Amino acid sequence: MNDRRHFFNLAACAMRQTVIDNARERLACKRGGDLVRTQFDEDLPDRALDAPQALAVEQAFGALERQDPELAQTLNWSVFAGLSALQIAELREVNMRTVQRDLAHH
């Protein structure tokens, strides 16, 4: 179980960092930076936040990690690793309803 937790922690962390790096690049371009822009596959659903929103989400995640690390991990797995409540419950070794409640209230 620890190997799976570690894998999903790394996957979620990498995805989160990619989103934040992309947001920072977009903001730098708006300020006259000469960074190379990349495009995501057009077949992917358009769920991208604008750069200021993405950075605000990152700040909120940072605050949540300091306040409630377990909830932050649950949200990280859900948002950035795309795990279902059942998958998260298995990783956390808790009841799925606990995870659903955490996700619904936060």
Side-chain angles (χ1 to χ4, degrees), residues 51-96:
Q53 286 176 321
L55 294 177
V57 167
E58 173 63 13
Q59 288 178 335
F61 260 101
L64 183 59
E65 285 171 335
R66 290 185 295 278
Q67 187 175 23
D68 189 342
E70 190 168 287
L71 178 58
Q73 185 62 71
T74 297
L75 288 174
N76 212 23
W77 282 333
S78 175
V79 174
F80 295 106
L83 298 183
S84 69
L86 179 60
Q87 292 168 315
I88 294 168
E90 289 172 356
L91 290 173
R92 285 182 52 191
E93 298 178 345
V94 298
N95 186 294
M96 186 173 77

Side-chain angles (χ1 to χ4, degrees), residues 24-56:
R24 287 185 177 132
E25 285 179 16
R26 284 182 283 161
L27 284 176
C29 286
K30 286 182 180 181
R31 291 189 301 259
D34 57 352
L35 298 174
V36 175
R37 297 187 97 172
T38 58
Q39 298 270 333
F40 287 107
D41 186 342
E42 291 180 11
D43 294 332
L44 293 174
D46 185 18
R47 296 184 188 171
L49 301 172
D50 69 18
Q53 286 176 321
L55 294 177

